[in-house]
Amino acid sequence: MSAQAIFNRLALIGAGLIGSSIARAARAQGAVRSIVVTARSAATRRRVAELGIADQVVETNAAAVEGADLVILCVPVGACGEVAAEISSHLAPGSIVSDVGSVKGAVIRDVLSQLPAGVHFVPAHPVAGTEHSGPDAGFAELFVNRWCILTPAADTDPGAVERLTGFWRLLGANVERMSAEHHDLVLGITSHLPHLIAYTIVGTADELKQVTRSEVLQFSAGGFRDFTRIAASDPIMWRDVFLANKDAVLEMLGRFNEDLATLTRAIRRGDGETLFQQFSRTRAIRRGIVEIGQDSPAPDFGRPHPELPHEVPQELPRPYSSA
Ligand code: NAP
């Protein structure tokens, strides 16, 4: 038992990348006294038990929340409403219910109406992730120096918001508060639109008949592979994000299409100045991200580079000779 435990019993519903990372980090930091986990499938529940990242693994969402003072929904955005309905009558009075959904407006709409009076709903979104899913993908350090955005309603109990803020800080996150509407707009441009572009470009390249699949893969270091990492993200999670954040994504997509048209016109007209100006501006943005510690300054995302070959491979051309 830790002196710094902020909650007595943490219930995690869903044990994928995010849920299992919270379990690992909360235990490592002693942020809670005990952790109970559930997931939809028996296979995931069994794996969580094998990994030993929870004190208890239970079969149903209702059983998980019994006696918990913090419940976090770590399921795809589209499943939050039905999970809230299942747990509603089993929640302890005074408990805090939160989530980790990448969209806030739709989750609040689906969850809030299901919860009984006396239970505090404090929606949250840890802006941290990888392209991997499932309980094996999680790790305790996932949230360190990443933002966790809380979007409580104006009339939410301040004490509940403070306790959840303390919890996320203990897991290493920086906590920011904003309205759900603002969150969905900001994440629409910083996360949802980049994913949509990545899903599109990888799909388009794959469909190009004149470029064979092997060539796309072979020359992927030209930039394509950086899109493929994002485009490998979980299809269920991202389907739900676009359905749930439809308005903000369509707004950002409209702006993006206008800016793309500007660059298209510049290329067609040979307008190098417009291209140079835009690329200089975006280079400075990358520098800014590194400066505030949101990415490594190492070139090429810190990928390791193989050593130079010790012997010249046979198939290399002979050195140039003017003779
Ligand atoms: P994930 O790895 O696919 O895990 C999802 C978990 O939810 C699985 O354990 C799944 O159980 C469980 N689940 C699904 N429906 C359920 C239900 N009705 N009842 C109980 N459990 C259910 O997904 P994730 O990446 O952790 O994402 C979870 C949430 O975090 C999403 O809302 C997402 O928007 C948000 N988020 C994700 C990221 C990211 O980069 N991945 C970052 C920030 C926030 P089974 O394994 O049995 O199917």
Side-chain angles (χ1 to χ4, degrees), residues 148-195:
C148 182
I149 301 174
L150 305 188
T151 64
D155 60 354
T156 308
D157 175 44
V161 179
E162 275 313 311
R163 277 181 85 197
L164 193 67
T165 300
F167 174 81
W168 278 107
R169 288 211 173 115
L170 204 45
L171 268 49
N174 306 314
V175 178
E176 176 90 32
R177 287 178 209 173
M178 62 178 72
S179 73
E181 196 184 16
H182 189 66
H183 168 278
D184 289 353
L185 216 52
V186 171
L187 271 292
I189 187 68
T190 56
S191 171
H192 307 169
L193 190 59
H195 275 81

Short mmCIF file of all heavy atoms in Angstrom, two decimals, residues 148-195:
data_model
loop_
_atom_site.label_atom_id
_atom_site.label_comp_id
_atom_site.label_asym_id
_atom_site.label_seq_id
_atom_site.Cartn_x
_atom_site.Cartn_y
_atom_site.Cartn_z
N CYS A 148 -2.68 15.02 -20.73
CA CYS A 148 -3.98 14.39 -20.51
C CYS A 148 -4.98 15.53 -20.40
O CYS A 148 -4.85 16.40 -19.53
CB CYS A 148 -3.98 13.54 -19.24
SG CYS A 148 -5.58 12.72 -19.01
N ILE A 149 -5.96 15.54 -21.30
CA ILE A 149 -6.92 16.64 -21.35
C ILE A 149 -8.20 16.23 -20.62
O ILE A 149 -8.80 15.20 -20.95
CB ILE A 149 -7.24 17.01 -22.81
CG1 ILE A 149 -5.96 17.41 -23.55
CG2 ILE A 149 -8.27 18.15 -22.86
CD1 ILE A 149 -6.13 17.65 -25.04
N LEU A 150 -8.59 17.02 -19.63
CA LEU A 150 -9.85 16.78 -18.92
C LEU A 150 -10.89 17.76 -19.45
O LEU A 150 -10.58 18.93 -19.66
CB LEU A 150 -9.68 16.98 -17.41
CG LEU A 150 -8.57 16.20 -16.69
CD1 LEU A 150 -8.70 16.38 -15.17
CD2 LEU A 150 -8.61 14.72 -17.03
N THR A 151 -12.11 17.26 -19.66
CA THR A 151 -13.16 18.13 -20.19
C THR A 151 -14.41 18.06 -19.30
O THR A 151 -15.50 17.69 -19.76
CB THR A 151 -13.53 17.75 -21.64
OG1 THR A 151 -14.08 16.42 -21.66
CG2 THR A 151 -12.34 17.81 -22.56
N PRO A 152 -14.27 18.44 -18.00
CA PRO A 152 -15.44 18.37 -17.11
C PRO A 152 -16.44 19.47 -17.45
O PRO A 152 -16.05 20.55 -17.92
CB PRO A 152 -14.83 18.60 -15.73
CG PRO A 152 -13.58 19.39 -15.98
CD PRO A 152 -13.07 18.96 -17.33
N ALA A 153 -17.70 19.21 -17.15
CA ALA A 153 -18.72 20.25 -17.31
C ALA A 153 -18.50 21.30 -16.23
O ALA A 153 -17.85 21.04 -15.21
CB ALA A 153 -20.11 19.63 -17.19
N ALA A 154 -19.06 22.49 -16.45
CA ALA A 154 -18.84 23.61 -15.51
C ALA A 154 -19.32 23.26 -14.10
O ALA A 154 -18.76 23.73 -13.11
CB ALA A 154 -19.52 24.86 -16.03
N ASP A 155 -20.37 22.43 -13.99
CA ASP A 155 -20.93 22.14 -12.66
C ASP A 155 -20.38 20.85 -12.05
O ASP A 155 -20.91 20.36 -11.05
CB ASP A 155 -22.46 22.08 -12.75
CG ASP A 155 -22.94 20.99 -13.71
OD1 ASP A 155 -22.09 20.37 -14.39
OD2 ASP A 155 -24.16 20.76 -13.77
N THR A 156 -19.31 20.31 -12.61
CA THR A 156 -18.72 19.09 -12.03
C THR A 156 -18.05 19.42 -10.69
O THR A 156 -17.42 20.48 -10.57
CB THR A 156 -17.66 18.49 -12.99
OG1 THR A 156 -18.27 18.36 -14.26
CG2 THR A 156 -17.17 17.14 -12.50
N ASP A 157 -18.18 18.50 -9.75
CA ASP A 157 -17.58 18.68 -8.42
C ASP A 157 -16.07 18.95 -8.56
O ASP A 157 -15.33 18.11 -9.08
CB ASP A 157 -17.83 17.39 -7.62
CG ASP A 157 -17.14 17.44 -6.28
OD1 ASP A 157 -17.22 18.49 -5.63
OD2 ASP A 157 -16.51 16.42 -5.91
N PRO A 158 -15.60 20.13 -8.10
CA PRO A 158 -14.17 20.47 -8.24
C PRO A 158 -13.25 19.46 -7.55
O PRO A 158 -12.15 19.18 -8.02
CB PRO A 158 -14.04 21.84 -7.60
CG PRO A 158 -15.43 22.36 -7.39
CD PRO A 158 -16.36 21.19 -7.40
N GLY A 159 -13.72 18.89 -6.44
CA GLY A 159 -12.91 17.91 -5.72
C GLY A 159 -12.64 16.68 -6.58
O GLY A 159 -11.53 16.12 -6.58
N ALA A 160 -13.65 16.25 -7.34
CA ALA A 160 -13.50 15.08 -8.22
C ALA A 160 -12.50 15.39 -9.33
O ALA A 160 -11.64 14.55 -9.67
CB ALA A 160 -14.86 14.70 -8.80
N VAL A 161 -12.59 16.60 -9.87
CA VAL A 161 -11.66 16.99 -10.96
C VAL A 161 -10.23 17.03 -10.41
O VAL A 161 -9.29 16.55 -11.05
CB VAL A 161 -12.07 18.36 -11.56
CG1 VAL A 161 -11.10 18.77 -12.65
CG2 VAL A 161 -13.50 18.31 -12.09
N GLU A 162 -10.07 17.56 -9.21
CA GLU A 162 -8.74 17.65 -8.59
C GLU A 162 -8.14 16.26 -8.35
O GLU A 162 -6.96 16.03 -8.59
CB GLU A 162 -8.82 18.39 -7.25
CG GLU A 162 -8.75 19.90 -7.37
CD GLU A 162 -7.61 20.37 -8.29
OE1 GLU A 162 -6.47 19.91 -8.10
OE2 GLU A 162 -7.87 21.18 -9.19
N ARG A 163 -8.97 15.34 -7.88
CA ARG A 163 -8.44 13.99 -7.59
C ARG A 163 -8.00 13.30 -8.89
O ARG A 163 -6.96 12.65 -8.94
CB ARG A 163 -9.52 13.13 -6.91
CG ARG A 163 -9.59 13.38 -5.41
CD ARG A 163 -10.65 12.49 -4.80
NE ARG A 163 -10.17 11.16 -4.47
CZ ARG A 163 -10.97 10.12 -4.22
NH1 ARG A 163 -12.28 10.27 -4.28
NH2 ARG A 163 -10.46 8.95 -3.90
N LEU A 164 -8.79 13.48 -9.94
CA LEU A 164 -8.41 12.84 -11.20
C LEU A 164 -7.16 13.52 -11.79
O LEU A 164 -6.30 12.85 -12.36
CB LEU A 164 -9.57 12.88 -12.20
CG LEU A 164 -9.35 11.96 -13.41
CD1 LEU A 164 -9.37 10.49 -13.00
CD2 LEU A 164 -10.39 12.21 -14.49
N THR A 165 -7.07 14.82 -11.59
CA THR A 165 -5.87 15.55 -12.05
C THR A 165 -4.64 14.99 -11.33
O THR A 165 -3.61 14.71 -11.96
CB THR A 165 -6.03 17.07 -11.74
OG1 THR A 165 -7.18 17.55 -12.43
CG2 THR A 165 -4.80 17.85 -12.16
N GLY A 166 -4.76 14.79 -10.03
CA GLY A 166 -3.64 14.25 -9.25
C GLY A 166 -3.26 12.85 -9.71
O GLY A 166 -2.06 12.51 -9.78
N PHE A 167 -4.26 12.05 -10.05
CA PHE A 167 -4.02 10.69 -10.53
C PHE A 167 -3.17 10.72 -11.80
O PHE A 167 -2.15 10.04 -11.91
CB PHE A 167 -5.37 10.00 -10.78
CG PHE A 167 -5.27 8.64 -11.41
CD1 PHE A 167 -5.00 7.51 -10.65
CD2 PHE A 167 -5.46 8.48 -12.78
CE1 PHE A 167 -4.90 6.25 -11.24
CE2 PHE A 167 -5.38 7.22 -13.38
CZ PHE A 167 -5.10 6.12 -12.59
N TRP A 168 -3.60 11.54 -12.78
CA TRP A 168 -2.88 11.57 -14.06
C TRP A 168 -1.49 12.16 -13.88
O TRP A 168 -0.53 11.73 -14.55
CB TRP A 168 -3.69 12.33 -15.12
CG TRP A 168 -4.73 11.43 -15.73
CD1 TRP A 168 -6.08 11.46 -15.53
CD2 TRP A 168 -4.48 10.33 -16.63
NE1 TRP A 168 -6.69 10.44 -16.25
CE2 TRP A 168 -5.73 9.75 -16.93
CE3 TRP A 168 -3.33 9.79 -17.21
CZ2 TRP A 168 -5.87 8.66 -17.79
CZ3 TRP A 168 -3.45 8.70 -18.06
CH2 TRP A 168 -4.71 8.15 -18.34
N ARG A 169 -1.37 13.13 -12.99
CA ARG A 169 -0.02 13.71 -12.75
C ARG A 169 0.91 12.65 -12.18
O ARG A 169 2.08 12.57 -12.52
CB ARG A 169 -0.13 14.90 -11.79
CG ARG A 169 -0.77 16.09 -12.46
CD ARG A 169 -0.24 17.41 -11.89
NE ARG A 169 -0.76 18.51 -12.67
CZ ARG A 169 -1.59 19.45 -12.21
NH1 ARG A 169 -1.95 19.43 -10.95
NH2 ARG A 169 -2.03 20.41 -12.99
N LEU A 170 0.37 11.82 -11.30
CA LEU A 170 1.19 10.76 -10.71
C LEU A 170 1.64 9.75 -11.77
O LEU A 170 2.69 9.12 -11.65
CB LEU A 170 0.37 10.06 -9.60
CG LEU A 170 1.12 9.33 -8.50
CD1 LEU A 170 2.29 10.14 -7.96
CD2 LEU A 170 0.16 8.97 -7.37
N LEU A 171 0.85 9.61 -12.83
CA LEU A 171 1.22 8.71 -13.92
C LEU A 171 2.19 9.39 -14.90
O LEU A 171 2.55 8.83 -15.93
CB LEU A 171 -0.04 8.24 -14.68
CG LEU A 171 -0.68 6.93 -14.20
CD1 LEU A 171 -0.91 6.90 -12.70
CD2 LEU A 171 -1.98 6.65 -14.93
N GLY A 172 2.57 10.63 -14.59
CA GLY A 172 3.59 11.32 -15.39
C GLY A 172 3.04 12.31 -16.39
O GLY A 172 3.80 12.98 -17.09
N ALA A 173 1.70 12.42 -16.48
CA ALA A 173 1.12 13.27 -17.52
C ALA A 173 1.05 14.73 -17.08
O ALA A 173 1.00 15.03 -15.88
CB ALA A 173 -0.28 12.77 -17.85
N ASN A 174 1.04 15.63 -18.05
CA ASN A 174 0.71 17.04 -17.81
C ASN A 174 -0.79 17.15 -18.03
O ASN A 174 -1.30 16.61 -19.02
CB ASN A 174 1.43 17.94 -18.82
CG ASN A 174 2.92 17.69 -18.83
OD1 ASN A 174 3.54 17.62 -17.78
ND2 ASN A 174 3.48 17.52 -20.02
N VAL A 175 -1.47 17.83 -17.13
CA VAL A 175 -2.95 17.87 -17.24
C VAL A 175 -3.41 19.26 -17.67
O VAL A 175 -2.94 20.27 -17.16
CB VAL A 175 -3.60 17.47 -15.90
CG1 VAL A 175 -5.12 17.55 -16.00
CG2 VAL A 175 -3.15 16.07 -15.51
N GLU A 176 -4.32 19.25 -18.64
CA GLU A 176 -4.89 20.49 -19.16
C GLU A 176 -6.41 20.34 -19.13
O GLU A 176 -6.94 19.25 -19.30
CB GLU A 176 -4.40 20.67 -20.61
CG GLU A 176 -4.95 21.84 -21.36
CD GLU A 176 -4.11 23.10 -21.19
OE1 GLU A 176 -2.90 22.98 -21.06
OE2 GLU A 176 -4.72 24.18 -21.19
N ARG A 177 -7.12 21.45 -18.89
CA ARG A 177 -8.59 21.39 -18.93
C ARG A 177 -9.10 22.26 -20.05
O ARG A 177 -8.56 23.35 -20.28
CB ARG A 177 -9.18 21.91 -17.62
CG ARG A 177 -8.99 20.94 -16.49
CD ARG A 177 -9.55 21.51 -15.20
NE ARG A 177 -8.79 20.94 -14.10
CZ ARG A 177 -8.90 21.31 -12.84
NH1 ARG A 177 -9.76 22.25 -12.50
NH2 ARG A 177 -8.18 20.74 -11.90
N MET A 178 -10.13 21.80 -20.73
CA MET A 178 -10.76 22.61 -21.78
C MET A 178 -12.17 22.09 -22.01
O MET A 178 -12.54 21.04 -21.47
CB MET A 178 -9.93 22.58 -23.07
CG MET A 178 -9.77 21.22 -23.69
SD MET A 178 -8.82 21.24 -25.25
CE MET A 178 -7.15 21.54 -24.69
N SER A 179 -12.94 22.81 -22.80
CA SER A 179 -14.30 22.33 -23.08
C SER A 179 -14.22 21.15 -24.06
O SER A 179 -13.25 21.04 -24.83
CB SER A 179 -15.14 23.45 -23.67
OG SER A 179 -14.73 23.69 -25.00
N ALA A 180 -15.24 20.32 -24.02
CA ALA A 180 -15.27 19.16 -24.91
C ALA A 180 -15.28 19.62 -26.37
O ALA A 180 -14.63 19.02 -27.23
CB ALA A 180 -16.51 18.32 -24.61
N GLU A 181 -16.00 20.70 -26.63
CA GLU A 181 -16.10 21.19 -28.01
C GLU A 181 -14.73 21.63 -28.54
O GLU A 181 -14.33 21.29 -29.66
CB GLU A 181 -17.07 22.37 -28.02
CG GLU A 181 -17.56 22.73 -29.39
CD GLU A 181 -18.44 23.96 -29.34
OE1 GLU A 181 -18.43 24.70 -28.33
OE2 GLU A 181 -19.13 24.21 -30.34
N HIS A 182 -14.00 22.37 -27.67
CA HIS A 182 -12.67 22.83 -28.06
C HIS A 182 -11.74 21.64 -28.26
O HIS A 182 -10.97 21.59 -29.24
CB HIS A 182 -12.13 23.78 -26.98
CG HIS A 182 -10.87 24.46 -27.39
ND1 HIS A 182 -10.82 25.37 -28.42
CD2 HIS A 182 -9.60 24.36 -26.91
CE1 HIS A 182 -9.58 25.79 -28.56
NE2 HIS A 182 -8.82 25.19 -27.67
N HIS A 183 -11.80 20.69 -27.35
CA HIS A 183 -10.99 19.47 -27.47
C HIS A 183 -11.20 18.80 -28.83
O HIS A 183 -10.25 18.45 -29.53
CB HIS A 183 -11.35 18.46 -26.36
CG HIS A 183 -10.77 17.10 -26.60
ND1 HIS A 183 -11.38 16.17 -27.44
CD2 HIS A 183 -9.65 16.49 -26.14
CE1 HIS A 183 -10.66 15.08 -27.48
NE2 HIS A 183 -9.60 15.24 -26.70
N ASP A 184 -12.46 18.65 -29.22
CA ASP A 184 -12.76 17.91 -30.46
C ASP A 184 -12.26 18.65 -31.70
O ASP A 184 -11.86 18.02 -32.69
CB ASP A 184 -14.26 17.63 -30.54
CG ASP A 184 -14.69 16.58 -29.52
OD1 ASP A 184 -13.80 15.99 -28.86
OD2 ASP A 184 -15.90 16.34 -29.38
N LEU A 185 -12.25 19.98 -31.62
CA LEU A 185 -11.74 20.78 -32.73
C LEU A 185 -10.21 20.67 -32.81
O LEU A 185 -9.64 20.42 -33.87
CB LEU A 185 -12.15 22.24 -32.50
CG LEU A 185 -12.52 23.07 -33.71
CD1 LEU A 185 -13.55 22.37 -34.58
CD2 LEU A 185 -13.05 24.43 -33.26
N VAL A 186 -9.55 20.83 -31.65
CA VAL A 186 -8.08 20.78 -31.61
C VAL A 186 -7.58 19.39 -32.03
O VAL A 186 -6.68 19.27 -32.86
CB VAL A 186 -7.57 21.13 -30.19
CG1 VAL A 186 -6.06 20.87 -30.07
CG2 VAL A 186 -7.87 22.59 -29.86
N LEU A 187 -8.20 18.36 -31.47
CA LEU A 187 -7.76 16.99 -31.81
C LEU A 187 -8.14 16.64 -33.24
O LEU A 187 -7.51 15.80 -33.88
CB LEU A 187 -8.30 15.98 -30.80
CG LEU A 187 -7.42 15.73 -29.56
CD1 LEU A 187 -6.12 15.02 -29.96
CD2 LEU A 187 -7.06 17.00 -28.80
N GLY A 188 -9.18 17.31 -33.75
CA GLY A 188 -9.58 17.09 -35.15
C GLY A 188 -8.42 17.39 -36.08
O GLY A 188 -8.14 16.62 -37.01
N ILE A 189 -7.70 18.49 -35.80
CA ILE A 189 -6.59 18.87 -36.69
C ILE A 189 -5.28 18.19 -36.31
O ILE A 189 -4.49 17.82 -37.17
CB ILE A 189 -6.41 20.42 -36.76
CG1 ILE A 189 -5.39 20.82 -37.81
CG2 ILE A 189 -6.01 21.02 -35.43
CD1 ILE A 189 -5.80 20.57 -39.21
N THR A 190 -5.03 17.99 -34.99
CA THR A 190 -3.72 17.46 -34.59
C THR A 190 -3.64 15.93 -34.64
O THR A 190 -2.56 15.37 -34.70
CB THR A 190 -3.36 17.91 -33.16
OG1 THR A 190 -4.42 17.48 -32.28
CG2 THR A 190 -3.18 19.40 -33.06
N SER A 191 -4.78 15.27 -34.60
CA SER A 191 -4.74 13.81 -34.55
C SER A 191 -5.65 13.16 -35.59
O SER A 191 -5.22 12.29 -36.35
CB SER A 191 -5.15 13.35 -33.14
OG SER A 191 -5.33 11.99 -33.08
N HIS A 192 -6.92 13.59 -35.63
CA HIS A 192 -7.86 12.86 -36.47
C HIS A 192 -7.58 13.07 -37.97
O HIS A 192 -7.56 12.10 -38.73
CB HIS A 192 -9.30 13.27 -36.11
CG HIS A 192 -9.58 13.13 -34.64
ND1 HIS A 192 -10.69 13.61 -34.02
CD2 HIS A 192 -8.85 12.54 -33.63
CE1 HIS A 192 -10.65 13.35 -32.72
NE2 HIS A 192 -9.54 12.70 -32.47
N LEU A 193 -7.34 14.33 -38.36
CA LEU A 193 -7.05 14.58 -39.77
C LEU A 193 -5.74 13.89 -40.23
O LEU A 193 -5.74 13.25 -41.29
CB LEU A 193 -7.01 16.09 -40.04
CG LEU A 193 -6.95 16.48 -41.52
CD1 LEU A 193 -8.15 15.95 -42.29
CD2 LEU A 193 -6.88 18.00 -41.67
N PRO A 194 -4.64 13.98 -39.44
CA PRO A 194 -3.44 13.25 -39.86
C PRO A 194 -3.69 11.75 -40.04
O PRO A 194 -3.15 11.13 -40.96
CB PRO A 194 -2.46 13.50 -38.70
CG PRO A 194 -2.90 14.79 -38.12
CD PRO A 194 -4.39 14.85 -38.27
N HIS A 195 -4.52 11.18 -39.18
CA HIS A 195 -4.82 9.74 -39.36
C HIS A 195 -5.60 9.52 -40.65
O HIS A 195 -5.34 8.56 -41.38
CB HIS A 195 -5.60 9.20 -38.16
CG HIS A 195 -4.70 8.79 -37.03
ND1 HIS A 195 -4.18 9.69 -36.13
CD2 HIS A 195 -4.21 7.58 -36.66
CE1 HIS A 195 -3.40 9.05 -35.26
NE2 HIS A 195 -3.41 7.77 -35.56
#
